[in-house]
Amino acid sequence: MYIFKTVNDLQNFIALKRNEGKQIGFVPTMGALHQGHLSLLKVANQQTQISVCSIFVNPKQFDEAEDFDKYPRTTTQDIQLLEENNCTVLFLPTVAEVFPPAIEQDLVQYDFGYLAKPMEGAYRKGHFDGMAKVVKRLLDIVLPDKLFMGQKDYQQFTIVRRLIEITNLQTQLVVCPILREADGLAMSSRNVRLLTDERIRAAEISQTLKWLKLQRNQLTLNDAITKAKTKLNTITGMSLEYLEVVNGRTLTPITNWTNTDAIVACVAVRLGAVRLIDNMIL
Ligand code: AMP
């Protein structure tokens, strides 16, 4: 595996491979890699000849300094995992490399309309603005044929899909399914911060989403949502930020089961000191 820390070195390598007719697949991450990340890399290796993975904890997308500071960083282990999983290139830049002063001035604040307003947009101020800035910058650097992202961050990939449309990028977005632990908890870099008893209770998040899905012919959607919220709120140490059932394309709230064929339930909770998100297509 090649490891590049500068934009120049990365771009020289990619240009060479592109000239050889190779397709470039890109998997952006914030590191602390787990099987969920590696599943994206696997699909990238199946669909393209050159897989580029980036590890960059983007300060612009954290609204809480503490969350940024406490974000797990396990670079040595990440490098080993990427090597074992046949990653062609790891891009490991510094903040100054991704956002040098000259670039800062040119960063655009995109208007994603309603897509960036509810859920994560409402609870994490500036998050999607920071996320879109880093994704646009990384896409400009890598110019991948395909971009691989996880359904785990549902609103995020919906916004990135819009970003690609707005900016006319020639990149195809490939969305990969959520990888879960045996008890259903969606894999996340943040899971390692859960205390032992919190980790056990965390399984109830996906179990509640599954329960919600099964209510289609049992309860009205509104009643099912209310009951699911109560279930989550009664779990020790858990506080619910939101549980919303939305149209999978527009992210507008859905009020009954027959509204659309793309219904997604999205949830965010705090469990102890850790914020967790999950979603399920209903
Ligand atoms: P992150 O490092 O959290 O920024 O995530 C990098 C990419 O991995 C994003 O596209 C995520 O949606 C994706 N990802 C994170 N967790 C999972 C998971 N459990 N299953 C599949 N993809 C995931």
Side-chain angles (χ1 to χ4, degrees):
M1 182 172 74
Y2 297 87
I3 302 180
F4 298 118
K5 295 191 170 178
T6 67
V7 172
N8 245 333
D9 287 349
L10 175 69
Q11 286 187 320
N12 287 338
F13 178 84
I14 290 177
L16 228 105
K17 294 298 162 188
R18 192 171 283 116
N19 281 342
E20 291 173 9
K22 306 258 166 74
Q23 290 233 309
I24 315 295
F26 182 38
V27 181
T29 82
M30 297 203 296
L33 301 180
H34 50 67
Q35 292 301 319
H37 295 115
L38 298 175
S39 72
L40 304 189
L41 175 60
K42 189 171 173 192
V43 180
N45 278 333
Q46 283 164 353
Q47 297 195 10
T48 60
Q49 291 83 51
I50 302 292
S51 52
V52 179
C53 182
S54 64
I55 296 181
F56 180 65
V57 186
N58 172 29
K60 290 191 194 299
Q61 72 186 64
F62 286 83
D63 51 344
E64 292 171 25
E66 191 191 330
D67 193 27
F68 175 72
D69 292 340
K70 293 213 172 132
Y71 200 84
R73 290 162 174 89
T74 57
T75 312
T76 311
Q77 188 189 313
D78 290 351
I79 291 173
Q80 195 185 335
L81 281 172
L82 290 173
E83 235 155 10
E84 286 167 7
N85 287 274
N86 305 317
C87 178
T88 322
V89 173
L90 165 60
F91 182 42
L92 197 58
T94 59
V95 175
E97 191 67 22
V98 176
F99 296 120
I103 287 285
E104 281 291 343
Q105 303 159 13
D106 295 338
L107 294 175
V108 176
Q109 185 159 0
Y110 297 98
D111 180 4
F112 298 111
Y114 186 75
L115 293 183
K117 296 215 160 57
M119 306 191 286
E120 295 300 286
Y123 280 87
R124 299 184 71 190
K125 290 286 167 222
H127 169 66
F128 286 131
D129 184 38
M131 182 281 290
K133 281 179 176 150
V134 79
V135 171
K136 177 63 168 57
R137 170 79 173 128
L138 291 171
L139 289 176
D140 285 342
I141 293 169
V142 178
L143 293 175
D145 298 284
K146 294 189 178 189
L147 167 66
F148 300 87
M149 299 189 88
Q151 185 205 315
K152 162 84 183 351
D153 298 274
Y154 198 97
Q155 194 170 9
Q156 170 172 279
F157 85 70
T158 304
I159 288 173
V160 169
R161 184 164 57 199
R162 185 85 192 104
L163 174 72
I164 291 171
E165 279 168 14
I166 296 172
T167 56
N168 285 312
L169 283 168
Q170 294 305 303
T171 296
Q172 185 195 336
L173 175 64
V174 179
V175 180
C176 305
I178 305 175
L179 247 79
R180 299 181 178 280
E181 303 288 354
D183 64 0
L185 175 65
M187 289 185 187
S188 162
S189 306
R190 290 188 165 90
N191 292 352
V192 295
R193 293 183 50 214
L194 294 167
L195 305 176
T196 313
D197 55 331
E198 291 168 351
R199 170 62 193 84
I200 293 166
R201 290 197 293 270
E204 307 224 20
I205 304 165
S206 67
Q207 280 161 16
T208 305
L209 293 177
K210 259 194 210 157
W211 177 87
L212 187 59
K213 187 173 176 161
L214 292 172
Q215 302 316 305
R216 181 179 274 270
N217 298 316
Q218 314 294 324
L219 294 174
T220 66
L221 183 53
N222 276 340
D223 284 351
I225 294 171
T226 306
K227 288 211 163 114
K229 284 181 177 170
T230 309
K231 274 175 187 283
L232 289 168
N233 268 325
T234 47
I235 295 163
T236 313
M238 191 176 289
S239 77
L240 176 66
E241 283 195 348
Y242 63 80
L243 169 63
E244 288 200 26
V245 176
V246 300
N247 176 310
R249 288 241 149 216
T250 61
L251 305 186
T252 48
I254 297 281
T255 46
N256 71 66
W257 293 108
T258 52
N259 258 0
T260 164
D261 52 3
I263 306 182
V264 187
C266 300
V267 64
V269 303
R270 284 191 189 260
L271 187 51
V274 188
R275 186 172 186 278
L276 299 171
I277 62 170
D278 197 356
N279 67 81
M280 202 168 280
I281 296 171
L282 302 186

